[in-house]
Amino acid sequence: MKKLTTILAFLCASAGSYAENVVLSTPGSTLVLDVNKGAEPMFVYYGARLSDTELANLPKPTTANWSHLEVYPSYGATHTMSETAFAMRHADGNMSTQLLCDDFKTEPVSDIAPNGKPRKGTKLTIKLKDPLYPDIVNLYYQAYDDVDMIECWTDVTNNGKQTVTLTQFYSTCMPIRRGNVHLTHFHGSWASEAQLVETKLTNGMLRIKNKDGLRNATTDRSDVMFSLDGPAQENTGDIIGAVLCYSGNYSVTIDTDDTEYHYYFAGINPDNSEYHLKKGETLTTPRVAYTFSNKGLSGASRNYHDWARKYMLRHADQERMILLNSWEGVYFNINHEVMDQMMADIAMMGGELFVMDDGWFATKYQRNTDNAALGDWVPDPKKLPGGIDKLLADARKNGVKFGIWVEPEMTNSIAELYENHPDWVIKAPGREPVKGRGGTQLVLDLANPKVQDFAFSVFDNLLSKYPQIAYIKWDANAPIMNHGSQYLPKEDQSHLYIAYHEGLIKLCQRIRQKYPDVVIQDCASGGGRANYGLLPYFDEFWVSDNTDALQRIYMQWGTSYFFPAIAMAQHISAVPNHAVFRTTSMKFRCDVAMSGRLGMEIQPKNMTDEEKTFCQKVISDYKTVRPVIQFGDLYRLHSPYEGDNLASLMYVTQDKAKAVYFWYKLETMKDEHFPRVKMQGLDPNKKYVVHELNRIDNKPLDCEGKSYTGAYLMANGLEMPYSHDVDYAKLNDWSSRVITLTAE
Ligand code: GLA
């Protein structure tokens, strides 16, 4: 495999001197920059991997219409009229910065990825310096040897004697050649995360941002895909993907000015966050992970899934446990008897883990609703007199593992923790704090090392005393609603958002150092923290508080763009659904939950025996396809966003020996007509035997037990009946299929 090389020099017409092309390659992509000492580094090419001949003859990108191709434009000296990636106020008041290449090097790297796994690649470091000032900005690009991912980030160091102020510090800028470029991004809201939005890029600026302070994925998400040749297609077309690996407030800007390019910028949101860099200090920006695929949106997703499973998720080589979570089943009504009953029921249905959610703790104040006791992490002696010991004993007795919910960054104004440490909460000086959930919730200031110690102790107290705890659900249910750190000095109050997330990452690292094995779920009012800044410390995330199977099809579809199925917690819940009050069939709920990390979120006591038996079968069937879904390649086939009431996707193992196909009808109408969905990713020459899972029909499908070549299935798909063949009393408007394909 060709790694980064410095290749032939070619004449740089504008400078009239020789410039050097620097090439970074991954197995399927190439990035070329023109890096020349004394000049700003320039973009040349990012796309499909180029051969040496292509590289040697690589045409220069157009500079028509004053196109500007600098990859890290800084404000004030050259770039005043166009958007910039970087701006600072020097100690002498000068607001202009000129970042010229002082030196650059490429080197092989072997380092430890954020999830603790070793990785190999090539790193390009471009040292940028302003001729007038001693400060250094390093621009980094790191290409992976074995996945199609190139990460880009910067750091800035104050080498002067006085403090300087950074007012803009994006991680990266990427010019994207105009054409018929479409942007796919994800809008959202609580209980409606990851709603796909596709926009044709046109003149003007598009800005996606987050200012929540804590949960940067609840509303708009920072991760985007650019379809370079017209409306995005799932399985064809050139795609550039860009993922911002950050948990805090972000800003993603796509500027289309009067030149030949769209300019993508991504990084920390500078709003209300100007950064005072003191003598000798360095600020490092989060990484942006770029991918390129010529296999459409699904191809780009598979690149992100590979990268995530190798380097960005904990334990991604281990199958996930099938669990029951207590939340929607009993909410705050926790006691030993109910926990024991739920454990027994999930064990009977074949589940492997029980998770006790919110409501288990209390000291001076009760946690019977969401307005009290956060921070008082002691089992409520009234609800749980036997404490964690008895819960663990009951889990052992029932043959399931035990997990527990915590929200370590929070307190309530009605809580002993707050009474003892009012100075630990985030609040504006001189003002009463604005409160969140329950009218009482407050955010603890993770910028403060004492708060970091406290949050660590929440984990440490549980896990050191009870090492049998197998799973922790780490929740965060409030935004930062007040600007003010009682810990940071008054001149650095604008560091609050950045310092909070530095504290959060330090906390995660500390937890993982001491407790590498425990499974941790990332939850923040649902999918509010589905980001690659945090995920390296977690095993999975809760996709949404909305468990309605129909809306989940849309949310899971969107979430799958950047996150693999193994990380997506998907639970079967009760009807009418608690978020949208829709009644779907048990079969439909199971089929939808089964396409990711399967679990249940229901009081099994309220299920009929028939439902329990069905779920028992679903769980046992899921175990047979769990490796295909959790480790397989995803092919999204038919989008629910097409608007024709159909969604379909499939997973295929890397050796193409097994596949699982999902087909969902979204709404029932008379005179309905669905296309036959062509499959993807199979071996055209292999013959696959068809078998339906979770079957409820009286008669098997026409194709049941028969075999078809991959070529046939990819050219024709299989006919799926529009409704189920069940007795009259069991007819309803929901229809879905889960089909396995096994190579003979
Ligand atoms: C958040 C989570 C839920 C549940 C509740 C408990 O909303 O997303 O799953 O844990 O908190 O209060």
Side-chain angles (χ1 to χ4, degrees), residues 190 327 332 357-358 367 405 437 473 475 477 523-526 542 545 601:
W190 173 74
W327 181 241
F332 295 99
D357 209 284
D358 195 354
R367 182 79 177 165
W405 179 94
R437 191 182 185 200
K473 175 174 174 178
D475 213 337
N477 288 318
C523 176
S525 318
W542 183 221
D545 275 353
E601 180 114 1

Side-chain angles (χ1 to χ4, degrees), residues 290-512:
Y290 289 110
T291 200
F292 173 82
S293 172
N294 53 16
K295 298 191 176 62
L297 298 163
S298 277
S301 295
R302 287 192 294 280
N303 291 350
Y304 281 114
H305 298 175
D306 279 353
W307 169 71
R309 283 189 302 240
K310 287 192 171 114
Y311 304 113
M312 300 302 282
L313 271 179
R314 290 282 148 167
H315 315 125
D317 48 358
Q318 292 168 24
E319 288 184 18
R320 301 304 195 239
M321 292 178 277
I322 299 160
L323 63 86
L324 170 66
N325 178 293
S326 67
W327 181 241
E328 286 192 27
V330 296
Y331 293 104
F332 295 99
N333 302 317
I334 280 172
N335 61 50
H336 280 307
E337 204 186 350
V338 172
M339 297 296 97
D340 187 30
Q341 166 258 315
M342 292 179 103
M343 290 179 201
D345 280 328
I346 189 59
M348 184 277 289
M349 286 188 273
E352 298 146 334
L353 167 73
F354 173 73
V355 181
M356 179 174 70
D357 209 284
D358 195 354
W360 61 269
F361 48 93
T363 51
K364 185 168 161 190
Y365 301 104
Q366 289 282 292
R367 182 79 177 165
N368 291 330
T369 179
D370 58 8
N371 73 353
L374 287 173
D376 304 342
W377 301 109
V378 177
D380 181 340
K382 289 202 192 96
K383 294 179 182 173
L384 299 168
I388 308 276
D389 282 317
K390 171 146 176 58
L391 291 159
L392 287 170
D394 286 343
R396 268 195 306 278
K397 176 188 77 186
N398 288 302
V400 286
K401 299 235 186 297
F402 178 75
I404 193 164
W405 179 94
V406 293
E407 201 180 353
E409 300 152 75
M410 303 287 164
T411 189
N412 296 106
S413 52
I414 308 170
E416 264 198 280
L417 180 78
Y418 181 59
E419 288 175 355
N420 295 336
H421 300 285
D423 53 322
W424 282 5
V425 303
I426 292 177
K427 72 180 268 306
R431 300 180 199 283
E432 270 304 297
V434 179
K435 296 170 204 136
R437 191 182 185 200
T440 56
Q441 189 153 334
L442 293 160
V443 180
L444 299 174
D445 182 4
L446 270 186
N448 183 342
K450 285 199 180 120
V451 172
Q452 292 170 24
D453 288 346
F454 167 76
F456 178 73
S457 76
V458 176
F459 290 84
D460 204 29
N461 291 344
L462 285 168
L463 294 172
S464 62
K465 192 151 173 223
Y466 307 106
Q468 304 93 317
I469 292 177
Y471 179 106
I472 293 207
K473 175 174 174 178
W474 176 344
D475 213 337
N477 288 318
I480 292 182
M481 298 169 83
N482 305 273
H483 195 123
S485 167
Q486 301 186 72
Y487 168 75
L488 292 170
K490 67 176 186 310
E491 64 278 14
D492 287 338
Q493 287 294 309
S494 61
H495 293 194
L496 171 64
Y497 296 114
I498 295 172
Y500 187 96
H501 287 272
E502 280 172 1
L504 178 60
I505 297 300
K506 268 192 208 152
L507 171 63
C508 290
Q509 287 169 341
R510 202 165 153 195
I511 292 167
R512 277 311 185 185

Side-chain angles (χ1 to χ4, degrees), residues 348-350 572-573 584-594 598 600 602 607-622 692-697 724 726 730 732 736-738:
M348 184 277 289
M349 286 188 273
I572 302 160
S573 63
T584 51
S585 70
M586 181 54 90
K587 152 97 179 139
F588 195 71
R589 280 175 271 156
C590 291
D591 286 4
V592 172
M594 203 166 167
L598 178 68
M600 300 188 82
I602 194 167
M607 294 165 70
T608 63
D609 287 346
E610 192 182 349
E611 284 176 331
K612 280 190 193 160
T613 309
F614 182 70
C615 286
Q616 194 176 28
K617 177 77 172 60
V618 167
I619 287 175
S620 100
D621 280 353
Y622 181 76
E692 184 183 5
L693 301 183
N694 305 353
R695 184 180 126 197
I696 56 167
D697 297 46
H724 289 286
V726 291
K730 290 192 175 161
N732 60 46
S736 54
R737 303 280 164 179
V738 182

Side-chain angles (χ1 to χ4, degrees), residues 156-325:
V156 46
T157 301
N158 179 353
N159 285 331
K161 293 196 174 68
Q162 287 168 284
T163 299
V164 299
T165 301
L166 310 181
T167 52
Q168 192 179 44
F169 30 88
Y170 279 110
S171 300
T172 183
C173 165
M174 171 77 87
I176 293 175
R177 181 73 168 85
R178 278 194 195 222
N180 193 3
V181 179
H182 285 237
L183 174 80
T184 302
H185 67 104
F186 294 90
H187 179 69
S189 179
W190 173 74
S192 178
E193 292 89 337
Q195 300 295 313
L196 185 149
V197 183
E198 191 188 322
T199 314
K200 180 174 160 55
L201 286 182
T202 176
N203 295 336
M205 182 182 279
L206 197 152
R207 185 170 184 231
I208 306 167
K209 51 88 187 132
N210 179 273
K211 294 187 174 194
D212 183 278
L214 246 84
R215 308 160 305 172
N216 72 6
T218 305
T219 54
D220 291 284
R221 293 195 168 169
S222 58
D223 308 332
V224 299
M225 287 192 191
F226 297 93
S227 166
L228 305 184
D229 351 273
Q233 304 294 319
E234 279 297 349
N235 293 291
T236 54
D238 287 353
I239 304 287
I240 290 176
V243 157
L244 175 66
C245 306
Y246 190 53
S247 55
N249 290 357
Y250 69 79
S251 174
V252 170
T253 298
I254 297 132
D255 187 45
T256 308
D257 56 15
D258 53 348
T259 71
E260 295 305 309
Y261 293 84
H262 308 285
Y263 300 91
Y264 162 84
F265 298 87
I268 295 174
N269 192 335
D271 292 358
N272 303 306
S273 289
E274 66 173 27
Y275 202 86
H276 307 124
L277 202 61
K278 297 179 189 69
K279 182 184 162 196
E281 279 182 356
T282 299
L283 178 75
T284 303
T285 66
R287 295 183 182 212
V288 168
Y290 289 110
T291 200
F292 173 82
S293 172
N294 53 16
K295 298 191 176 62
L297 298 163
S298 277
S301 295
R302 287 192 294 280
N303 291 350
Y304 281 114
H305 298 175
D306 279 353
W307 169 71
R309 283 189 302 240
K310 287 192 171 114
Y311 304 113
M312 300 302 282
L313 271 179
R314 290 282 148 167
H315 315 125
D317 48 358
Q318 292 168 24
E319 288 184 18
R320 301 304 195 239
M321 292 178 277
I322 299 160
L323 63 86
L324 170 66
N325 178 293

Side-chain angles (χ1 to χ4, degrees), residues 7-187:
I7 61 152
L8 286 181
F10 69 90
L11 193 64
C12 172
S14 56
S17 62
Y18 286 96
E20 281 185 296
N21 269 2
V22 177
V23 182
L24 267 181
S25 283
T26 68
S29 70
T30 297
L31 171 73
V32 184
L33 303 182
D34 173 4
V35 188
N36 201 16
K37 282 190 194 175
E40 290 183 80
M42 309 291 270
F43 173 83
V44 179
Y45 173 88
Y46 181 50
R49 190 186 162 103
L50 300 178
S51 66
D52 287 352
T53 321
E54 288 160 340
L55 280 168
N57 298 321
L58 194 61
K60 277 179 287 173
T62 180
T63 49
N65 289 321
W66 305 281
S67 293
H68 37 96
L69 292 163
E70 294 79 8
V71 286
Y72 205 63
S74 58
Y75 178 77
T78 318
H79 313 284
T80 46
M81 290 134 65
S82 54
E83 282 304 306
T84 49
F86 183 85
M88 69 189 278
R89 202 162 51 242
H90 299 272
D92 58 4
N94 188 347
M95 286 181 63
S96 74
T97 302
Q98 192 182 25
L99 294 178
L100 307 179
C101 174
D102 190 53
D103 202 359
F104 69 98
K105 67 172 176 206
T106 62
E107 57 194 334
V109 275
S110 299
D111 62 359
I112 299 298
N115 72 346
K117 299 271 185 199
R119 66 178 167 190
K120 284 199 161 80
T122 309
K123 187 170 173 187
L124 164 64
T125 305
I126 306 172
K127 183 176 164 198
L128 301 167
K129 202 181 150 312
D130 188 322
L132 292 189
Y133 295 97
D135 313 311
I136 297 296
V137 175
N138 285 309
L139 176 60
Y140 302 97
Y141 292 86
Q142 186 166 334
Y144 284 74
D145 275 0
D146 60 347
V147 288
D148 283 321
M149 210 57 67
I150 298 180
E151 295 173 355
C152 179
W153 74 103
T154 64
D155 61 33
V156 46
T157 301
N158 179 353
N159 285 331
K161 293 196 174 68
Q162 287 168 284
T163 299
V164 299
T165 301
L166 310 181
T167 52
Q168 192 179 44
F169 30 88
Y170 279 110
S171 300
T172 183
C173 165
M174 171 77 87
I176 293 175
R177 181 73 168 85
R178 278 194 195 222
N180 193 3
V181 179
H182 285 237
L183 174 80
T184 302
H185 67 104
F186 294 90
H187 179 69

